[in-house]
Amino acid sequence: MTLQVKTLAEYQDAYQKSVDDPEGFWAEQASTFQWKKKWDKTLEWNFKDPDVKWFVGGKLNITENCLDRHLADRGDQVAILFEPNDPTTPNTTYTYKELHAAVCQTANALKANGIEKGDRVCFYMPMVPELAISVLACARIGAIHSVVFAGFSAQALADRIKDATCKMVICSDYNSRGAKNIPVKKVVDDALDMGCDSIETVFVHKNTGGEVEMKAGRDKWWNEEVDAQSTDCPAEEMDAEDMLFILYTSGSTGKPKGVVHTCGGYMVYTCFSFRNVFQYKEGDVYWCTADIGWITGHSYIVYGPLLAGATTVMFEGVPTYPDPGRFWEVCDKLKVNQFYTAPTAIRALMAKGDQWVDKYDLSSLKVIGSVGEPINEEAWHWYDEKVGKGNSPIVDTWWQTETGGILITPLPGITDTKPCFASYPMPGVQPILVDSQGVLVEGNDVEGLLCVKFPWPSMLRTTYGDHERCRMTYFSSFENLYFTGDGARRDVEGRYRIIGRVDDVINVSGHRMGTAEVENAIDEHPNVVESAVVGYPHDIKGQGIYAYIIINEPVEDEDAFRKEVLAVVVREIGPIAKPDKIQLVSGLPKTRSGKIMRRILRKVASGETSNLGDISTLLNPEVVEEVIKGALA
Ligand code: PRX
């Protein structure tokens, strides 16, 4: 097992070693895994191209490390503990032995249907064990998984399938979420009607058993295909730098890009970070409430916990079903020891009142975590007092789809915690702050743009099919640095506080969205001439979506028009991208070169109507007054 630091001195020592001799440090961690062939060189890198390779020449299969490696010691221990959407349905479990068998069987079913090493397989599934099993089955045979969050629209799914030229889609019939029964297979059918020519097969997992149409020759029942196979499937030999998965994420321009993670480094870092951040001990029950459609689910529901031989809870439902006590009821019932969720869920549950959390025994909790967006002070204290009862440290973990694992976080019981601070870097992580010119911001009690100056094993390697986009997005702003897109503060003791994105990316309920992406969707409405989208502070969601829209023909019923715009956004992206507020305007404030002055729009959306800065250089300063008036109306 990778190192698990237990004291502040051990953390400091590990950190120092990881900076003085990163290769030695990570080689030591990597040597605790099962390799088919040891690596020749620990690290080769430059951030110019960029070209980063960890454990060069090493051969492995990540599933042998998630599964086979544990069979002798903990074959009968629960690996996946499934909590269904309906609280009256009993839990189901997979021990490591059972999970191993299920993954092998599924891997054989993929192979029998023509999936080979290097092929891309797209997922559009609810949070059921078969999702984790199928993801691991891909990794078993060297196929590359691309999991798409099942809340995205058919159009968004089609875009992702085409970008990665996937050969297969794995979906469910229906998705039970709260009181809803979502026709997942139907969305896949609609997506495939949009010209996804690369798809040869669709595996449909029978989840609710509801009626679906099956297209002959293309659609097959997951259950039948898998049941017909043997439980023996040798693990494909993968190079440390072979792709493990693609995961799409939004940026400030264009369509979402496919972040690529590779086998060796991702394995080492997710296991190492899981063990340290959650201080997981043998026999603990760990629960991360994320969806596997996001990176948090990849790294800290599936790979990290299984690599560490943990019991990981998979939850199908939503925090408020059947009532806002669900999270705490499950923590009590399953005796959860580590609980990891998003600030938006904490705020939403906090707003429902203390009675929901006070009802349950949460004494099993040892560590509680937060991820995905800044956690405000009020929510931090509520989480600390009401959920953690003042004695479960909060790990406010900062990281990104691109970083693969948690980079900045307190270590529970080891480093201190401070509300709103992600605190200190993990061993092996070297964050720095720079100003807008790229000049290093030194010392403490300072603010700047958050960059990382040295590679860590689970960093992204490229963006699928477009390496130049990866270079431009992350490595071209500042020489020899990975730029995160976030602004941060470093306090007098050297703790980091993440302020938020400094680019045109907004974070809505922990979901990352490009403003350009939402604008492009809105612009699909035939009566929209132009739109501008900005984020504004929202009590529950963290940020809400505010859309300013210029229309072509006057509309009689503004509310009806707004509804049409929402429907277009749901069609193009999904419900998570629906604007919270829509304001019709006759113009957008623009610079003389025609660029939208988002700074002004952001301020107005936040309720600020004075101190808008210098507007005299605008092409159309008169429009500002109209925008303010409309916002106040
Ligand atoms: O702005 C930061 C915010 O979420 C962004 C990354 O989003 P995504 O790739 O979807 O990954 C989310 C889950 C890892 C970051 O650029 N963010 C993430 N964690 C935190 C955070 N902001 C503040 N505090 C955090 N703990």
Short mmCIF file of all heavy atoms in Angstrom, two decimals, residues 565-592:
data_model
loop_
_atom_site.label_atom_id
_atom_site.label_comp_id
_atom_site.label_asym_id
_atom_site.label_seq_id
_atom_site.Cartn_x
_atom_site.Cartn_y
_atom_site.Cartn_z
N VAL A 565 -36.72 29.33 -24.37
CA VAL A 565 -35.25 29.38 -24.27
C VAL A 565 -34.76 28.25 -23.35
O VAL A 565 -33.81 27.54 -23.67
CB VAL A 565 -34.77 30.76 -23.76
CG1 VAL A 565 -33.29 30.72 -23.39
CG2 VAL A 565 -35.04 31.83 -24.81
N LEU A 566 -35.45 28.08 -22.23
CA LEU A 566 -35.06 27.01 -21.31
C LEU A 566 -35.14 25.65 -22.00
O LEU A 566 -34.26 24.81 -21.86
CB LEU A 566 -35.94 27.00 -20.06
CG LEU A 566 -35.88 28.24 -19.16
CD1 LEU A 566 -36.71 28.02 -17.90
CD2 LEU A 566 -34.44 28.60 -18.78
N ALA A 567 -36.19 25.47 -22.77
CA ALA A 567 -36.36 24.19 -23.47
C ALA A 567 -35.22 23.96 -24.46
O ALA A 567 -34.72 22.84 -24.61
CB ALA A 567 -37.70 24.16 -24.19
N VAL A 568 -34.77 25.02 -25.12
CA VAL A 568 -33.66 24.88 -26.07
C VAL A 568 -32.38 24.49 -25.33
O VAL A 568 -31.64 23.61 -25.78
CB VAL A 568 -33.45 26.20 -26.86
CG1 VAL A 568 -32.18 26.13 -27.70
CG2 VAL A 568 -34.65 26.48 -27.75
N VAL A 569 -32.15 25.10 -24.18
CA VAL A 569 -30.94 24.78 -23.40
C VAL A 569 -31.00 23.33 -22.91
O VAL A 569 -30.00 22.60 -22.98
CB VAL A 569 -30.77 25.76 -22.22
CG1 VAL A 569 -29.63 25.32 -21.32
CG2 VAL A 569 -30.53 27.17 -22.73
N VAL A 570 -32.17 22.91 -22.46
CA VAL A 570 -32.32 21.52 -22.01
C VAL A 570 -32.05 20.57 -23.18
O VAL A 570 -31.40 19.54 -23.03
CB VAL A 570 -33.73 21.28 -21.42
CG1 VAL A 570 -33.99 19.80 -21.18
CG2 VAL A 570 -33.88 22.06 -20.11
N ARG A 571 -32.51 20.94 -24.36
CA ARG A 571 -32.30 20.09 -25.54
C ARG A 571 -30.82 20.04 -25.92
O ARG A 571 -30.27 19.00 -26.25
CB ARG A 571 -33.12 20.67 -26.70
CG ARG A 571 -33.11 19.79 -27.95
CD ARG A 571 -33.73 20.51 -29.13
NE ARG A 571 -32.85 21.56 -29.64
CZ ARG A 571 -33.25 22.64 -30.29
NH1 ARG A 571 -34.53 22.84 -30.52
NH2 ARG A 571 -32.37 23.54 -30.73
N GLU A 572 -30.15 21.18 -25.88
CA GLU A 572 -28.76 21.25 -26.34
C GLU A 572 -27.76 20.70 -25.32
O GLU A 572 -26.77 20.10 -25.68
CB GLU A 572 -28.40 22.70 -26.68
CG GLU A 572 -29.15 23.27 -27.86
CD GLU A 572 -28.79 22.59 -29.18
OE1 GLU A 572 -27.59 22.47 -29.47
OE2 GLU A 572 -29.71 22.17 -29.90
N ILE A 573 -28.01 20.98 -24.02
CA ILE A 573 -27.03 20.57 -23.00
C ILE A 573 -27.67 19.65 -21.95
O ILE A 573 -27.17 18.56 -21.68
CB ILE A 573 -26.40 21.78 -22.28
CG1 ILE A 573 -25.78 22.76 -23.29
CG2 ILE A 573 -25.33 21.31 -21.29
CD1 ILE A 573 -25.24 24.04 -22.70
N GLY A 574 -28.76 20.12 -21.34
CA GLY A 574 -29.40 19.35 -20.27
C GLY A 574 -29.92 20.32 -19.23
O GLY A 574 -29.57 21.50 -19.24
N PRO A 575 -30.74 19.82 -18.31
CA PRO A 575 -31.37 20.72 -17.32
C PRO A 575 -30.36 21.46 -16.44
O PRO A 575 -30.67 22.55 -15.96
CB PRO A 575 -32.22 19.77 -16.46
CG PRO A 575 -32.31 18.50 -17.21
CD PRO A 575 -31.20 18.43 -18.19
N ILE A 576 -29.16 20.90 -16.24
CA ILE A 576 -28.20 21.57 -15.36
C ILE A 576 -27.74 22.91 -15.91
O ILE A 576 -27.19 23.73 -15.18
CB ILE A 576 -26.95 20.70 -15.04
CG1 ILE A 576 -26.25 20.23 -16.31
CG2 ILE A 576 -27.32 19.53 -14.16
CD1 ILE A 576 -24.95 19.49 -16.04
N ALA A 577 -27.96 23.15 -17.20
CA ALA A 577 -27.47 24.41 -17.80
C ALA A 577 -28.57 25.46 -17.94
O ALA A 577 -28.36 26.52 -18.54
CB ALA A 577 -26.84 24.11 -19.17
N LYS A 578 -29.75 25.17 -17.38
CA LYS A 578 -30.87 26.12 -17.53
C LYS A 578 -30.58 27.44 -16.82
O LYS A 578 -30.28 27.44 -15.62
CB LYS A 578 -32.14 25.53 -16.90
CG LYS A 578 -32.90 24.62 -17.80
CD LYS A 578 -34.35 24.46 -17.39
CE LYS A 578 -34.57 23.69 -16.13
NZ LYS A 578 -35.93 23.20 -15.93
N PRO A 579 -30.68 28.57 -17.52
CA PRO A 579 -30.48 29.85 -16.85
C PRO A 579 -31.50 30.06 -15.72
O PRO A 579 -32.67 29.69 -15.86
CB PRO A 579 -30.69 30.88 -17.96
CG PRO A 579 -30.45 30.14 -19.22
CD PRO A 579 -30.88 28.72 -18.96
N ASP A 580 -31.04 30.65 -14.62
CA ASP A 580 -31.95 30.96 -13.51
C ASP A 580 -32.67 32.26 -13.79
O ASP A 580 -33.78 32.48 -13.33
CB ASP A 580 -31.15 31.10 -12.21
CG ASP A 580 -30.44 29.81 -11.87
OD1 ASP A 580 -31.06 28.96 -11.26
OD2 ASP A 580 -29.26 29.66 -12.26
N LYS A 581 -31.99 33.16 -14.50
CA LYS A 581 -32.61 34.44 -14.82
C LYS A 581 -32.33 34.78 -16.27
O LYS A 581 -31.21 34.56 -16.77
CB LYS A 581 -32.01 35.55 -13.95
CG LYS A 581 -32.39 35.44 -12.50
CD LYS A 581 -31.91 36.66 -11.74
CE LYS A 581 -32.16 36.47 -10.25
NZ LYS A 581 -31.50 37.50 -9.44
N ILE A 582 -33.35 35.31 -16.93
CA ILE A 582 -33.19 35.73 -18.32
C ILE A 582 -33.64 37.18 -18.43
O ILE A 582 -34.74 37.52 -18.00
CB ILE A 582 -34.04 34.85 -19.26
CG1 ILE A 582 -33.50 33.41 -19.28
CG2 ILE A 582 -34.05 35.44 -20.68
CD1 ILE A 582 -34.33 32.46 -20.12
N GLN A 583 -32.79 38.02 -18.95
CA GLN A 583 -33.16 39.43 -19.13
C GLN A 583 -33.07 39.77 -20.62
O GLN A 583 -32.03 39.52 -21.25
CB GLN A 583 -32.20 40.32 -18.32
CG GLN A 583 -32.58 41.78 -18.38
CD GLN A 583 -31.59 42.67 -17.62
OE1 GLN A 583 -30.82 42.19 -16.78
NE2 GLN A 583 -31.61 43.95 -17.93
N LEU A 584 -34.15 40.32 -21.16
CA LEU A 584 -34.12 40.73 -22.56
C LEU A 584 -33.53 42.14 -22.65
O LEU A 584 -33.90 43.02 -21.88
CB LEU A 584 -35.53 40.71 -23.16
CG LEU A 584 -36.26 39.38 -23.07
CD1 LEU A 584 -37.56 39.42 -23.86
CD2 LEU A 584 -35.39 38.24 -23.57
N VAL A 585 -32.60 42.32 -23.55
CA VAL A 585 -31.93 43.62 -23.69
C VAL A 585 -31.89 44.01 -25.17
O VAL A 585 -31.99 43.15 -26.04
CB VAL A 585 -30.48 43.56 -23.14
CG1 VAL A 585 -30.47 43.42 -21.62
CG2 VAL A 585 -29.68 42.42 -23.76
N SER A 586 -31.71 45.29 -25.41
CA SER A 586 -31.64 45.71 -26.82
C SER A 586 -30.20 45.68 -27.32
O SER A 586 -29.94 45.70 -28.51
CB SER A 586 -32.24 47.10 -26.98
OG SER A 586 -31.40 48.04 -26.34
N GLY A 587 -29.26 45.65 -26.37
CA GLY A 587 -27.85 45.57 -26.76
C GLY A 587 -27.02 45.04 -25.61
O GLY A 587 -27.50 44.96 -24.48
N LEU A 588 -25.78 44.66 -25.91
CA LEU A 588 -24.87 44.20 -24.87
C LEU A 588 -23.69 45.16 -24.83
O LEU A 588 -23.21 45.57 -25.89
CB LEU A 588 -24.37 42.79 -25.20
CG LEU A 588 -25.43 41.68 -25.14
CD1 LEU A 588 -24.93 40.42 -25.85
CD2 LEU A 588 -25.79 41.37 -23.69
N PRO A 589 -23.22 45.53 -23.62
CA PRO A 589 -22.10 46.46 -23.57
C PRO A 589 -20.86 45.85 -24.23
O PRO A 589 -20.46 44.75 -23.88
CB PRO A 589 -21.87 46.67 -22.06
CG PRO A 589 -22.58 45.54 -21.39
CD PRO A 589 -23.66 45.09 -22.30
N LYS A 590 -20.31 46.58 -25.19
CA LYS A 590 -19.17 46.03 -25.93
C LYS A 590 -18.01 47.02 -25.99
O LYS A 590 -18.23 48.23 -25.99
CB LYS A 590 -19.59 45.68 -27.36
CG LYS A 590 -20.48 44.47 -27.39
CD LYS A 590 -20.67 43.94 -28.78
CE LYS A 590 -21.50 42.68 -28.72
NZ LYS A 590 -21.97 42.24 -30.01
N THR A 591 -16.83 46.47 -26.08
CA THR A 591 -15.65 47.32 -26.28
C THR A 591 -15.64 47.76 -27.75
O THR A 591 -16.39 47.21 -28.57
CB THR A 591 -14.35 46.54 -26.03
OG1 THR A 591 -14.30 45.47 -26.98
CG2 THR A 591 -14.31 45.96 -24.63
N ARG A 592 -14.76 48.68 -28.07
CA ARG A 592 -14.71 49.16 -29.45
C ARG A 592 -14.30 48.06 -30.42
O ARG A 592 -14.59 48.11 -31.61
CB ARG A 592 -13.78 50.37 -29.57
CG ARG A 592 -14.41 51.58 -28.91
CD ARG A 592 -13.63 52.85 -29.13
NE ARG A 592 -14.05 53.85 -28.15
CZ ARG A 592 -15.15 54.58 -28.23
NH1 ARG A 592 -15.95 54.46 -29.28
NH2 ARG A 592 -15.44 55.44 -27.29
#
